[in-house]
mmCIF file of all heavy atoms in Angstrom:
data_model
loop_
_atom_site.group_PDB
_atom_site.id
_atom_site.type_symbol
_atom_site.label_atom_id
_atom_site.label_comp_id
_atom_site.label_asym_id
_atom_site.label_seq_id
_atom_site.Cartn_x
_atom_site.Cartn_y
_atom_site.Cartn_z
ATOM 1 N N ILE A 41 0.876 -1.175 0.000
ATOM 2 C CA ILE A 41 0.000 0.000 0.000
ATOM 3 C C ILE A 41 0.912 1.223 0.000
ATOM 4 O O ILE A 41 1.667 1.452 0.951
ATOM 5 C CB ILE A 41 -0.926 0.016 1.230
ATOM 6 C CG1 ILE A 41 -1.797 -1.244 1.270
ATOM 7 C CG2 ILE A 41 -1.797 1.266 1.231
ATOM 8 C CD1 ILE A 41 -2.630 -1.368 2.528
ATOM 9 N N TRP A 42 0.839 2.006 -1.063
ATOM 10 C CA TRP A 42 1.682 3.190 -1.206
ATOM 11 C C TRP A 42 0.875 4.435 -0.851
ATOM 12 O O TRP A 42 -0.260 4.603 -1.308
ATOM 13 C CB TRP A 42 2.210 3.302 -2.629
ATOM 14 C CG TRP A 42 3.137 2.189 -3.033
ATOM 15 C CD1 TRP A 42 2.807 1.030 -3.664
ATOM 16 C CD2 TRP A 42 4.542 2.138 -2.810
ATOM 17 N NE1 TRP A 42 3.917 0.255 -3.857
ATOM 18 C CE2 TRP A 42 5.006 0.908 -3.345
ATOM 19 C CE3 TRP A 42 5.458 3.003 -2.218
ATOM 20 C CZ2 TRP A 42 6.352 0.538 -3.311
ATOM 21 C CZ3 TRP A 42 6.799 2.631 -2.176
ATOM 22 C CH2 TRP A 42 7.231 1.412 -2.713
ATOM 23 N N VAL A 43 1.467 5.314 -0.039
ATOM 24 C CA VAL A 43 0.779 6.512 0.432
ATOM 25 C C VAL A 43 1.528 7.736 -0.066
ATOM 26 O O VAL A 43 2.702 7.940 0.253
ATOM 27 C CB VAL A 43 0.680 6.533 1.970
ATOM 28 C CG1 VAL A 43 -0.115 7.753 2.437
ATOM 29 C CG2 VAL A 43 0.035 5.252 2.479
ATOM 30 N N ASP A 44 0.837 8.567 -0.858
ATOM 31 C CA ASP A 44 1.444 9.766 -1.413
ATOM 32 C C ASP A 44 1.746 10.779 -0.306
ATOM 33 O O ASP A 44 1.171 10.735 0.780
ATOM 34 C CB ASP A 44 0.509 10.382 -2.456
ATOM 35 C CG ASP A 44 1.278 10.985 -3.619
ATOM 36 O OD1 ASP A 44 2.509 10.954 -3.594
ATOM 37 O OD2 ASP A 44 0.629 11.490 -4.561
ATOM 38 N N GLU A 45 2.609 11.738 -0.605
ATOM 39 C CA GLU A 45 3.200 12.593 0.418
ATOM 40 C C GLU A 45 2.174 13.387 1.220
ATOM 41 O O GLU A 45 2.237 13.431 2.448
ATOM 42 C CB GLU A 45 4.201 13.553 -0.221
ATOM 43 C CG GLU A 45 4.925 14.455 0.774
ATOM 44 C CD GLU A 45 5.685 13.687 1.850
ATOM 45 O OE1 GLU A 45 6.148 12.559 1.560
ATOM 46 O OE2 GLU A 45 5.797 14.195 2.979
ATOM 47 N N SER A 46 1.223 14.045 0.568
ATOM 48 C CA SER A 46 0.275 14.893 1.300
ATOM 49 C C SER A 46 -0.573 14.071 2.262
ATOM 50 O O SER A 46 -0.868 14.520 3.379
ATOM 51 C CB SER A 46 -0.614 15.659 0.312
ATOM 52 O OG SER A 46 -1.282 14.762 -0.555
ATOM 53 N N VAL A 47 -0.977 12.866 1.848
ATOM 54 C CA VAL A 47 -1.734 11.989 2.743
ATOM 55 C C VAL A 47 -0.835 11.488 3.868
ATOM 56 O O VAL A 47 -1.271 11.358 5.020
ATOM 57 C CB VAL A 47 -2.346 10.806 1.965
ATOM 58 C CG1 VAL A 47 -3.156 9.906 2.898
ATOM 59 C CG2 VAL A 47 -3.230 11.309 0.826
ATOM 60 N N ALA A 48 0.436 11.219 3.557
ATOM 61 C CA ALA A 48 1.381 10.748 4.570
ATOM 62 C C ALA A 48 1.592 11.795 5.660
ATOM 63 O O ALA A 48 1.716 11.452 6.842
ATOM 64 C CB ALA A 48 2.713 10.393 3.912
ATOM 65 N N VAL A 49 1.627 13.072 5.288
ATOM 66 C CA VAL A 49 1.765 14.135 6.283
ATOM 67 C C VAL A 49 0.573 14.121 7.237
ATOM 68 O O VAL A 49 0.721 14.291 8.447
ATOM 69 C CB VAL A 49 1.897 15.508 5.586
ATOM 70 C CG1 VAL A 49 1.817 16.640 6.598
ATOM 71 C CG2 VAL A 49 3.210 15.588 4.815
ATOM 72 N N GLY A 50 -0.627 13.905 6.700
ATOM 73 C CA GLY A 50 -1.798 13.790 7.554
ATOM 74 C C GLY A 50 -1.707 12.597 8.482
ATOM 75 O O GLY A 50 -2.113 12.670 9.648
ATOM 76 N N CYS A 51 -1.159 11.483 7.993
ATOM 77 C CA CYS A 51 -0.973 10.295 8.843
ATOM 78 C C CYS A 51 -0.026 10.600 9.998
ATOM 79 O O CYS A 51 -0.268 10.187 11.146
ATOM 80 C CB CYS A 51 -0.435 9.137 8.009
ATOM 81 S SG CYS A 51 -1.592 8.490 6.785
ATOM 82 N N ASP A 52 1.051 11.299 9.708
ATOM 83 C CA ASP A 52 2.005 11.659 10.767
ATOM 84 C C ASP A 52 1.339 12.537 11.827
ATOM 85 O O ASP A 52 1.617 12.403 13.027
ATOM 86 C CB ASP A 52 3.201 12.390 10.165
ATOM 87 C CG ASP A 52 4.055 11.491 9.281
ATOM 88 O OD1 ASP A 52 3.974 10.254 9.441
ATOM 89 O OD2 ASP A 52 4.786 12.018 8.414
ATOM 90 N N ALA A 53 0.452 13.446 11.374
ATOM 91 C CA ALA A 53 -0.264 14.299 12.326
ATOM 92 C C ALA A 53 -1.173 13.460 13.221
ATOM 93 O O ALA A 53 -1.294 13.723 14.422
ATOM 94 C CB ALA A 53 -1.067 15.353 11.573
ATOM 95 N N TYR A 54 -1.816 12.444 12.656
ATOM 96 C CA TYR A 54 -2.667 11.560 13.452
ATOM 97 C C TYR A 54 -1.838 10.827 14.514
ATOM 98 O O TYR A 54 -2.315 10.608 15.632
ATOM 99 C CB TYR A 54 -3.362 10.535 12.553
ATOM 100 C CG TYR A 54 -4.687 10.973 11.993
ATOM 101 C CD1 TYR A 54 -4.820 12.174 11.317
ATOM 102 C CD2 TYR A 54 -5.824 10.175 12.124
ATOM 103 C CE1 TYR A 54 -6.045 12.574 10.781
ATOM 104 C CE2 TYR A 54 -7.046 10.560 11.599
ATOM 105 C CZ TYR A 54 -7.151 11.759 10.925
ATOM 106 O OH TYR A 54 -8.364 12.151 10.414
ATOM 107 N N LEU A 55 -0.630 10.411 14.160
ATOM 108 C CA LEU A 55 0.209 9.690 15.118
ATOM 109 C C LEU A 55 0.523 10.555 16.333
ATOM 110 O O LEU A 55 0.616 10.054 17.458
ATOM 111 C CB LEU A 55 1.501 9.230 14.434
ATOM 112 C CG LEU A 55 1.332 8.158 13.354
ATOM 113 C CD1 LEU A 55 2.671 7.846 12.696
ATOM 114 C CD2 LEU A 55 0.724 6.890 13.935
ATOM 115 N N GLU A 56 0.684 11.863 16.121
ATOM 116 C CA GLU A 56 0.940 12.755 17.245
ATOM 117 C C GLU A 56 -0.290 12.915 18.128
ATOM 118 O O GLU A 56 -0.183 13.298 19.294
ATOM 119 C CB GLU A 56 1.395 14.119 16.717
ATOM 120 C CG GLU A 56 2.725 14.084 15.965
ATOM 121 C CD GLU A 56 3.127 15.450 15.439
ATOM 122 O OE1 GLU A 56 2.436 16.435 15.784
ATOM 123 O OE2 GLU A 56 4.112 15.537 14.687
ATOM 124 N N LEU A 57 -1.447 12.603 17.573
ATOM 125 C CA LEU A 57 -2.698 12.740 18.319
ATOM 126 C C LEU A 57 -3.179 11.415 18.890
ATOM 127 O O LEU A 57 -4.308 11.339 19.397
ATOM 128 C CB LEU A 57 -3.793 13.300 17.398
ATOM 129 C CG LEU A 57 -3.509 14.633 16.712
ATOM 130 C CD1 LEU A 57 -4.602 14.937 15.699
ATOM 131 C CD2 LEU A 57 -3.415 15.745 17.744
ATOM 132 N N LEU A 58 -2.383 10.380 18.819
ATOM 133 C CA LEU A 58 -2.815 9.034 19.191
ATOM 134 C C LEU A 58 -3.489 8.969 20.560
ATOM 135 O O LEU A 58 -4.523 8.298 20.707
ATOM 136 C CB LEU A 58 -1.632 8.071 19.136
ATOM 137 C CG LEU A 58 -1.957 6.586 19.396
ATOM 138 C CD1 LEU A 58 -2.977 6.075 18.380
ATOM 139 C CD2 LEU A 58 -0.686 5.744 19.343
ATOM 140 N N PRO A 59 -2.976 9.640 21.604
ATOM 141 C CA PRO A 59 -3.641 9.549 22.912
ATOM 142 C C PRO A 59 -5.074 10.092 22.907
ATOM 143 O O PRO A 59 -5.840 9.799 23.826
ATOM 144 C CB PRO A 59 -2.741 10.397 23.826
ATOM 145 C CG PRO A 59 -1.407 10.390 23.148
ATOM 146 C CD PRO A 59 -1.710 10.394 21.684
ATOM 147 N N GLN A 60 -5.449 10.857 21.888
ATOM 148 C CA GLN A 60 -6.785 11.430 21.845
ATOM 149 C C GLN A 60 -7.689 10.739 20.822
ATOM 150 O O GLN A 60 -8.819 11.173 20.610
ATOM 151 C CB GLN A 60 -6.692 12.932 21.543
ATOM 152 C CG GLN A 60 -5.853 13.678 22.569
ATOM 153 C CD GLN A 60 -5.928 15.171 22.403
ATOM 154 O OE1 GLN A 60 -6.991 15.761 22.507
ATOM 155 N NE2 GLN A 60 -4.792 15.795 22.151
ATOM 156 N N LEU A 61 -7.185 9.676 20.212
ATOM 157 C CA LEU A 61 -8.006 8.886 19.306
ATOM 158 C C LEU A 61 -8.764 7.824 20.111
ATOM 159 O O LEU A 61 -8.440 7.565 21.273
ATOM 160 C CB LEU A 61 -7.121 8.233 18.234
ATOM 161 C CG LEU A 61 -6.395 9.197 17.287
ATOM 162 C CD1 LEU A 61 -5.572 8.423 16.260
ATOM 163 C CD2 LEU A 61 -7.363 10.136 16.589
ATOM 164 N N PRO A 62 -9.783 7.201 19.548
ATOM 165 C CA PRO A 62 -10.578 6.208 20.293
ATOM 166 C C PRO A 62 -9.719 5.097 20.885
ATOM 167 O O PRO A 62 -8.650 4.758 20.352
ATOM 168 C CB PRO A 62 -11.545 5.671 19.229
ATOM 169 C CG PRO A 62 -11.680 6.780 18.244
ATOM 170 C CD PRO A 62 -10.333 7.439 18.194
ATOM 171 N N SER A 63 -10.191 4.507 21.965
ATOM 172 C CA SER A 63 -9.425 3.467 22.660
ATOM 173 C C SER A 63 -9.160 2.269 21.757
ATOM 174 O O SER A 63 -8.115 1.618 21.869
ATOM 175 C CB SER A 63 -10.171 3.020 23.921
ATOM 176 O OG SER A 63 -11.475 2.560 23.600
ATOM 177 N N SER A 64 -10.100 1.948 20.852
ATOM 178 C CA SER A 64 -9.883 0.829 19.947
ATOM 179 C C SER A 64 -8.686 1.083 19.037
ATOM 180 O O SER A 64 -7.930 0.156 18.712
ATOM 181 C CB SER A 64 -11.145 0.593 19.099
ATOM 182 O OG SER A 64 -11.465 1.757 18.340
ATOM 183 N N VAL A 65 -8.500 2.329 18.626
ATOM 184 C CA VAL A 65 -7.351 2.682 17.786
ATOM 185 C C VAL A 65 -6.066 2.604 18.606
ATOM 186 O O VAL A 65 -5.028 2.110 18.127
ATOM 187 C CB VAL A 65 -7.537 4.089 17.193
ATOM 188 C CG1 VAL A 65 -6.338 4.473 16.331
ATOM 189 C CG2 VAL A 65 -8.817 4.164 16.375
ATOM 190 N N GLN A 66 -6.112 3.066 19.837
ATOM 191 C CA GLN A 66 -4.928 2.999 20.697
ATOM 192 C C GLN A 66 -4.539 1.542 20.961
ATOM 193 O O GLN A 66 -3.345 1.211 21.001
ATOM 194 C CB GLN A 66 -5.208 3.732 22.002
ATOM 195 C CG GLN A 66 -5.469 5.227 21.827
ATOM 196 C CD GLN A 66 -5.694 5.940 23.146
ATOM 197 O OE1 GLN A 66 -5.005 5.683 24.142
ATOM 198 N NE2 GLN A 66 -6.684 6.822 23.188
#
């Protein structure tokens, strides 16, 4: 699965927010 750069930047931002994502995701 290849992720283009702009979407990858959004993924990195989500990783910084991991403690505030749903418990199932954590």
Side-chain angles (χ1 to χ4, degrees):
I41 301 174
W42 295 93
V43 183
D44 216 358
E45 183 58 30
S46 56
V47 181
V49 171
C51 292
D52 292 339
Y54 271 53
L55 293 177
E56 296 179 7
L57 303 172
L58 185 59
Q60 302 189 61
L61 296 181
S63 57
S64 59
V65 179
Q66 297 182 41

